[in-house]
Amino acid sequence: MSGLAENLARLEEAIASACRAAGRSRGEVDLMAVSKTYPAATIAEAEALGLTLFGENRVQEFAAKVSEIDPLRLRAERPLRAHLIGHLQSNKAQRAVELFDGIDSLDSLRLAERLNEAAGRLGKRLPVLIEVKLSPEETKAGLEPESAEAAALLERLPELEHLDARGLMTIAPWGVAEPVTRACFRALRGWRERWAAAYPRLALEVLSMGMSGDFALAIDEGATRIRVGTALFGKRSPYTGTA
Ligand SMILES: *Cc1c(COP(=O)(O)O)cnc(C)c1O
């Protein structure tokens, strides 16, 4: 077995065990493979092992891989899907809509309007997740759930006919004790329930939460999608250069 096949087998065991412990079925949790910093060949290798959903952080970076990935996406059976999970600047919205099958890091009304226009021009309906900021770290992206901006976005989303708002995404704070991580995941679920009730025209079903270090906790707290990079592909080398 290749290193990647071994990592995937180990990961699948851990996911199955977390699902069992939480009394959930494995089918309730989608595995997103986070392929940022890894080349298209690695994505193809992971795809051959059965993975179909990939997460990328940067528009530019994925643009360089996309020609090799496209044949796998255009296939009718088991098509590969690539979503953007990193922060997106409004001025790159058009390019992002051209490149990605979904944007999981929607964090402003302005960006939503831009994505909607771009998707309209391409005749697409674009799946999006709202990224929610649940930890006080300055560096964290996402919408503050109690902000006026969040309320404005949620009010407006049902009118943006080229966007398909499917749920919420969050990144837990880094290097904190387990109860803090768990509280963050539980809070995301709470916001989904509150917003699903307050905005019945939105079908907020997806809870994208949990990464290599904390996916078991996330599954226990109701994650429907986990985003795993390191545990699959190994340690990343740091980014060099610009976005
Ligand atoms: C990099 C990244 C991940 C994956 O993190 P790992 O710890 O490598 O599993 C998940 N989500 C987001 C938003 C990321 O940027």
Side-chain angles (χ1 to χ4, degrees), residues 32 34 36 57 85-86 131 169-171 174 210-213 226-232 234 236:
M32 169 183 273
V34 177
K36 65 185 181 202
N57 260 47
I85 57 173
E131 182 175 358
M169 186 272 254
T170 200
I171 306 172
W174 196 80
M211 321 200 319
S212 293
I226 58 174
R227 309 180 305 267
V228 178
T230 311
L232 270 176
R236 288 178 292 272

Side-chain angles (χ1 to χ4, degrees), residues 90 103-116 126 128-133 141-169 195 198-204:
S90 301
I103 305 291
D104 294 2
S105 49
L106 175 59
D107 60 1
S108 74
L109 177 54
R110 177 185 160 80
L111 178 60
E113 302 272 5
R114 289 291 182 88
L115 290 171
N116 185 58
L126 181 74
V128 296
L129 300 183
I130 301 168
E131 182 175 358
V132 183
K133 178 175 148 78
L143 264 174
E144 311 244 3
E146 283 170 281
S147 63
E149 177 78 14
L153 174 65
L154 288 155
E155 285 288 339
R156 180 82 177 114
L157 267 175
E159 319 295 335
L160 301 178
E161 57 179 352
H162 298 289
L163 299 187
D164 180 11
R166 296 202 174 157
L168 309 179
M169 186 272 254
W195 288 341
Y199 304 93
R201 288 173 66 202
L202 296 175
L204 300 176

Side-chain angles (χ1 to χ4, degrees), residues 28-161:
E28 291 173 44
V29 182
D30 285 334
L31 171 58
M32 169 183 273
V34 177
S35 46
K36 65 185 181 202
T37 78
Y38 283 93
T42 304
I43 300 178
E45 190 190 346
E47 193 279 337
L49 293 170
L51 293 168
T52 53
L53 180 62
F54 291 83
E56 286 277 335
N57 260 47
R58 298 182 179 198
V59 172
Q60 249 42 321
E61 184 192 336
F62 188 60
K65 305 180 194 176
V66 77
S67 63
E68 285 176 69
I69 299 306
D70 265 341
L72 301 173
R73 288 209 288 192
L74 296 173
R75 198 172 48 179
E77 216 173 292
R78 224 170 52 85
L80 182 155
R81 293 281 169 257
H83 288 203
L84 182 69
I85 57 173
H87 176 68
L88 177 60
Q89 290 166 284
S90 301
N91 63 359
K92 291 184 186 162
Q94 181 74 40
R95 190 70 182 119
V97 174
E98 289 163 10
L99 287 170
F100 291 103
D101 303 293
I103 305 291
D104 294 2
S105 49
L106 175 59
D107 60 1
S108 74
L109 177 54
R110 177 185 160 80
L111 178 60
E113 302 272 5
R114 289 291 182 88
L115 290 171
N116 185 58
E117 285 160 23
R121 277 193 288 270
L122 293 173
K124 267 195 184 184
R125 188 144 192 264
L126 181 74
V128 296
L129 300 183
I130 301 168
E131 182 175 358
V132 183
K133 178 175 148 78
L134 294 167
S135 71
E137 292 157 297
E138 288 284 323
T139 52
K140 278 272 148 58
L143 264 174
E144 311 244 3
E146 283 170 281
S147 63
E149 177 78 14
L153 174 65
L154 288 155
E155 285 288 339
R156 180 82 177 114
L157 267 175
E159 319 295 335
L160 301 178
E161 57 179 352

